[in-house]
Amino acid sequence: MTAPRRTGTENSKTRLRLLDITERLMLEEGYAAVGVRRVAREAEVAPALVLYYFRTLDDLFLAVLRRRADEEWERQARLLSGPQPLRALWRLSSHPGNALTTEFTALANHRKTIRAELAAHAARYREAQLEALTRGLAEAGTDLPPEVSPAVLLMLTNALGRILMMENAMGMTTRHEEALAFVEQILQRYEGATASAETPRG
């Protein structure tokens, strides 16, 4: 019987450095720049050491995705527990940290394991966001137009935030001011002026 292959501990400094390097490469050069040899070269270690901690390249990608997903889940929970969940949703949807999610979304087109993991996290986030938004609107006594449910408002907020973020990353900001002014009008209509809150990390 073949003995199970050993892997490095999850909290080792080397493993964390490999994750940091992989995430940086994805953000700076795109997921296609990530490979076992490239990560090893950036970390100044042998490729075999990368494979000691991560059996496959998919395992490396999954570890990066899960680490950031756990961090985002905790941050989202803090933001959505505040008095202005719609503003919190807007910040979560439009901040530059979503650039990594964009890379994973592109990667998911080619790797089934990444696609399944990303879909599971996205569904979990959406349900939590919808619950917080529905609760916040109810507590504020806010009535949406009959054709706009909290779920529709949530998806429109997420979609517009991501579009603006992606276009900003490309250096294209045409008509963004109009869109942002409209968003601010909607936010003030339903939640009033901005209250101090944590800014999502990029």
Side-chain angles (χ1 to χ4, degrees):
M1 180 177 177
T2 304
R5 178 179 167 185
R6 293 181 58 198
T7 56
T9 57
E10 290 197 2
N11 59 352
S12 75
K13 291 182 179 179
T14 300
R15 184 180 187 277
L16 294 177
R17 175 163 166 71
L18 295 175
L19 293 178
D20 288 341
I21 289 171
T22 301
E23 184 171 323
R24 176 176 58 78
L25 288 173
M26 292 182 72
L27 289 172
E28 293 179 356
E29 302 181 34
Y31 72 85
V34 177
V36 171
R37 292 184 181 278
R38 176 67 187 280
V39 172
R41 184 167 68 251
E42 295 282 335
E44 299 182 338
V45 299
L49 187 60
V50 177
L51 295 174
Y52 172 70
Y53 286 97
F54 308 99
R55 296 172 185 265
T56 66
L57 189 57
D58 273 8
D59 287 340
L60 175 57
F61 281 127
L62 284 171
V64 173
L65 174 57
R66 287 167 180 164
R67 180 177 70 161
R68 178 49 68 95
D70 288 342
E71 293 172 355
E72 288 299 318
W73 178 258
E74 294 177 2
R75 186 173 301 110
Q76 174 177 283
R78 289 196 301 272
L79 286 168
L80 294 180
S81 65
Q84 295 181 313
L86 186 55
R87 284 190 180 276
L89 288 172
W90 175 247
R91 288 195 300 274
L92 288 164
S93 299
S94 59
H95 78 92
N98 278 331
L100 187 63
T101 300
T102 301
E103 283 301 314
F104 274 116
T105 301
L107 178 62
N109 290 324
H110 310 286
R111 296 178 182 268
K112 292 181 179 180
T113 55
I114 303 299
R115 182 163 62 246
E117 187 81 11
L118 196 61
H121 286 298
R124 181 188 181 202
Y125 290 152
R126 180 164 295 169
E127 288 304 315
Q129 290 173 348
L130 181 57
E131 179 182 348
L133 179 59
T134 302
R135 183 188 66 248
L137 293 173
E139 290 176 352
T142 301
D143 293 322
L144 296 175
E147 67 274 14
V148 180
S149 68
V152 169
L153 181 59
L154 167 63
M155 295 183 72
L156 289 174
T157 301
N158 284 339
L160 180 58
R162 287 170 184 165
I163 288 172
L164 294 179
M165 181 273 299
M166 292 172 64
E167 290 187 350
N168 264 311
M170 294 188 298
M172 203 282 278
T173 59
T174 304
R175 301 296 185 178
H176 280 203
E177 288 186 7
E178 293 178 45
L180 291 171
F182 172 76
V183 169
E184 183 58 31
Q185 288 178 3
I186 297 298
L187 293 175
Q188 290 206 23
R189 178 186 304 171
Y190 292 129
E191 293 187 342
T194 305
S196 60
E198 174 187 353
T199 300
R201 187 180 67 183

XYZ file of all heavy atoms in Angstrom, residues 42 49 78 111 126:
50
model
N 10.157 33.144 -7.891
C 9.867 34.362 -7.137
C 10.173 34.177 -5.649
O 10.601 35.110 -4.972
C 8.397 34.747 -7.315
C 8.006 35.141 -8.726
C 8.446 36.545 -9.086
O 8.609 37.369 -8.169
O 8.624 36.818 -10.292
N 9.697 22.206 -3.688
C 9.175 22.692 -2.411
C 7.753 23.230 -2.583
O 6.912 23.070 -1.689
C 10.081 23.784 -1.844
C 9.731 24.252 -0.427
C 9.804 23.087 0.559
C 10.655 25.379 0.015
N -18.811 41.906 9.173
C -18.680 43.126 9.974
C -19.396 44.296 9.311
O -20.122 45.053 9.960
C -17.201 43.472 10.178
C -16.457 42.538 11.118
C -15.148 43.160 11.570
N -14.261 43.476 10.463
C -13.380 42.631 9.947
N -13.291 41.405 10.422
N -12.591 42.999 8.954
N -10.833 25.701 -15.424
C -10.564 24.712 -14.372
C -11.837 24.445 -13.575
O -12.335 25.319 -12.874
C -9.439 25.205 -13.455
C -8.103 25.357 -14.179
C -7.019 25.899 -13.259
N -5.771 26.081 -13.961
C -4.806 25.159 -14.038
N -4.958 23.989 -13.438
N -3.687 25.404 -14.704
N -23.906 35.665 -1.417
C -25.148 36.296 -1.865
C -26.272 36.099 -0.854
O -27.046 37.024 -0.591
C -25.556 35.760 -3.235
C -26.855 36.378 -3.752
C -27.037 36.145 -5.221
N -26.010 36.831 -6.000
C -25.814 36.632 -7.301
N -26.562 35.770 -7.960
N -24.871 37.299 -7.942
